[in-house]
Amino acid sequence: MSWFSILPAHLTVIETWIIRFFLLLGIMTIGPWLLIIVYDIVLYIVRAIIYEVPYFGGRARGRQKPRAPSLSERPSGRARTFSIGGPVISGSEGEGREGMRWRPHDAKVQGNIGAVFED
């Protein structure tokens, strides 16, 4: 470590343990996600193989071939809507939930919230 360290030579033990600690934190963060992704890929491959097995596979039973999920289409076939807009409030215009009203767009903004409380 002496070639790559900016610390004095007598602190290499501490530096080594700090490196090990952060590697452990990285493995603890990435590990579960990696396991989930690998599990999902293996499950998809196994389901695709079992579909082709004669007599009891999906094709023999007349089922639809498994496919990867889509982000743009729901399982029913209807298209998904993507929106970054705020919450939809039902009721009369400008009225919100229990003592809240929506501030008009041309009003002076006081903070970063979208509603003002009424007393």
Side-chain angles (χ1 to χ4, degrees):
M1 294 301 279
S2 61
W3 286 50
F4 302 109
S5 178
I6 60 172
L7 298 175
H10 67 278
L11 294 177
T12 55
V13 173
I14 296 172
E15 184 180 16
T16 303
W17 279 105
I18 291 172
I19 291 169
R20 289 177 183 167
F21 176 70
F22 279 102
L23 284 175
L24 177 68
L25 288 179
I27 290 170
M28 287 173 51
T29 303
I30 296 171
W33 287 100
L34 186 63
L35 286 175
I36 289 171
I37 291 171
V38 168
Y39 170 76
D40 191 38
I41 292 169
V42 168
L43 181 65
Y44 177 75
I45 291 171
V46 167
R47 288 182 67 203
I49 290 172
I50 288 177
Y51 175 81
E52 300 292 338
V53 174
Y55 300 113
F56 65 88
R59 179 176 289 180
R61 294 182 184 182
R63 292 186 181 167
Q64 188 178 19
K65 187 172 185 175
R67 60 186 184 126
S70 171
L71 294 175
S72 61
E73 186 178 287
R74 295 178 184 263
S76 64
R78 201 174 83 205
R80 292 185 191 267
T81 56
F82 296 102
S83 174
I84 305 178
V88 177
I89 303 251
S90 61
S92 62
E93 189 173 344
E95 292 289 325
R97 293 185 186 161
E98 303 155 342
M100 294 181 72
R101 64 181 171 78
W102 285 102
R103 192 177 6 217
H105 291 290
D106 58 346
K108 184 178 177 183
V109 177
Q110 300 172 357
N112 59 357
I113 58 175
V116 178
F117 285 102
E118 293 179 349
D119 288 327

